[in-house]
Amino acid sequence: MGREVSESCIDSLLTVMVSTYCNRFYANKPELAARRIEAIGYQVGHQLSERYTMERPRFSDHLEAIKFICKDFWFELFKKQIDNLKTNHRGTFVLQDNCFCWLTRMSIDQSPENGTSEELSIMADNKVMQSMHLYFPCGIIRGALSNLGIPCAVSADISNLPACSFVIRIKA
Amino acid sequence: MQFFGGSEISPSPPVPTATGNNAHMMYVFNRNGVCLLYREWNRPLHTLNPQQDHKLMFGLLFSLKSLTAKMDPTNAEKGNLGIPQLPGLGCSFHSFRTNTYKLSFMETPSGIKFILVTNPRTGDLRETLKYIYNLYVEYVAKNPLYTPGTLIRCELFNTALDQYVRSIA
């Protein structure tokens, strides 16, 4: 069911979206750019969760909804499931994807040989840009969960590329 | 009369070292002549400084392409002298070989030129260069952090390239 779109198209669209929001619309305000990108992800996640839960019964508890995100939702979006799910049973869930497809082609510039201050700041910028690309998937997860009736806050952690962990904190 | 065998005149090419790859070096240029990448694996002899080296290489290819297009005996229409041709038009040369190295070349429709210098016993490297172009598309063109037209400094591309070049015969 549903129509399909090419993955390269989506990859390029997301790249341009992040770079436009960061460099043109909110040029020196990374927080605003981040919130705008996350809001776009929220809308997308909201609508996608509507579509992918069409023929399913309501979820009995938070864990079931999170498991839906990890398995069916992630599979519909990225053709694979979440590799690892951890929880502290008190409203915090960590979803780990060992090879997050939107990050597989991203590589930071190699470390400069002389380490001048401008090159170091370029490297810091690259790190910021890398984290900018994560606001969109965080927004998707937050939108999907809020459509299922679970308000939450989602953040991402890329300490080891290309694995990526999403931390979901459910608001009590 | 003494007869000098051919093998005594030309020096034999250096054997690929155990640590190094089978290729000597590689250049990637864009359509404006900017050298996007220069990778060196096994180059004992450096004649020029890097800027001159890149300019010479780009100029050489430009002239060679022009020459091969003009000298093409099978082309029915007269080549338009002096007008630069779009990549892919006319005939395209793909390698030349000397007694010490072989230079293989590939130009993509977007104007990206790949040059790979290997030992002279290497076979046809067109498929290799196509694979390297695929690596370029995957890890450089699709890298969100890369700005087109600038120096390529992507870890993933370099690693994948080194690994692949090591495996070519």
Side-chain angles (χ1 to χ4, degrees), chain B residues 47-58:
Chain B
T47 335
L48 304 164
N49 77 41
Q51 275 72 32
Q52 290 177 319
D53 190 60
H54 299 332
K55 273 203 267 202
L56 179 64
M57 182 58 76
F58 186 76

Side-chain angles (χ1 to χ4, degrees), chain A residues 12 35 37 49-50 94 101-102 113 116 132 137 155 160 170:
Chain A
S12 312
R35 277 164 53 138
I37 297 174
S49 71
E50 199 68 64
V94 178
C101 80
W102 290 336
E113 288 96 39
T116 59
M132 278 296 173
S155 62
N160 44 342
I170 300 189

Side-chain angles (χ1 to χ4, degrees), chain A residues 8 11 15 104-111 119 126 129-130 133, chain B residues 39 137-140 142-145 152-158:
Chain A
S8 315
D11 286 348
T15 308
T104 41
R105 296 199 188 87
M106 207 180 296
S107 48
I108 327 175
D109 287 357
Q110 290 165 333
S111 49
E119 284 182 335
N126 276 329
M129 278 304 278
Q130 269 194 323
H133 283 88
Chain B
R39 268 321 263 166
V137 167
E138 286 298 307
Y139 293 122
V140 178
K142 288 187 181 177
N143 182 3
L145 302 176
I152 296 175
R153 271 192 283 194
C154 308
E155 294 265 5
L156 290 175
F157 179 65
N158 290 339

Side-chain angles (χ1 to χ4, degrees), chain A residues 5-148:
Chain A
V5 70
S6 123
E7 285 186 7
S8 315
C9 264
I10 289 280
D11 286 348
S12 312
L13 181 66
L14 291 179
T15 308
V16 171
M17 174 177 83
V18 174
S19 88
T20 316
Y21 271 96
C22 290
N23 301 333
R24 296 204 323 156
F25 294 169
Y26 298 105
N28 292 318
K29 300 171 243 176
E31 300 82 26
L32 285 183
R35 277 164 53 138
R36 200 72 195 88
I37 297 174
E38 212 258 354
I40 296 176
Y42 181 87
Q43 295 275 24
V44 172
H46 210 269
Q47 289 162 347
L48 285 180
S49 71
E50 199 68 64
R51 173 188 285 255
Y52 296 140
T53 55
M54 217 161 63
E55 277 141 20
R56 300 177 63 113
R58 217 181 301 179
F59 295 109
S60 41
D61 65 355
H62 293 335
L63 186 59
E64 288 302 312
I66 299 279
K67 287 201 323 204
F68 160 76
I69 299 278
C70 291
K71 296 208 235 190
D72 302 314
F73 192 72
W74 218 251
F75 188 77
E76 293 281 357
L77 287 183
F78 304 114
K79 300 274 197 318
K80 66 186 284 280
Q81 300 182 347
I82 289 278
D83 297 304
N84 202 352
L85 170 66
K86 293 194 278 255
T87 175
N88 70 354
H89 296 290
R90 266 178 296 182
T92 305
F93 296 86
V94 178
L95 278 61
Q96 185 177 342
D97 189 339
N98 287 337
C99 187
F100 188 49
C101 80
W102 290 336
L103 293 181
T104 41
R105 296 199 188 87
M106 207 180 296
S107 48
I108 327 175
D109 287 357
Q110 290 165 333
S111 49
E113 288 96 39
N114 28 6
T116 59
S117 57
E118 48 202 63
E119 284 182 335
L120 286 176
S121 74
I122 292 177
M123 276 191 68
D125 280 344
N126 276 329
K127 287 247 175 229
V128 168
M129 278 304 278
Q130 269 194 323
S131 45
M132 278 296 173
H133 283 88
L134 291 170
Y135 284 107
F136 187 69
C138 287
I140 293 184
I141 298 177
R142 188 168 74 90
L145 283 175
S146 87
N147 199 22
L148 299 173

Side-chain angles (χ1 to χ4, degrees), chain B residues 70-86:
Chain B
K70 304 293 185 317
M71 297 285 287
D72 186 2
T74 62
N75 200 356
E77 58 168 54
K78 268 200 164 277
N80 29 6
L81 298 171
I83 303 175
Q85 292 189 312
L86 292 174

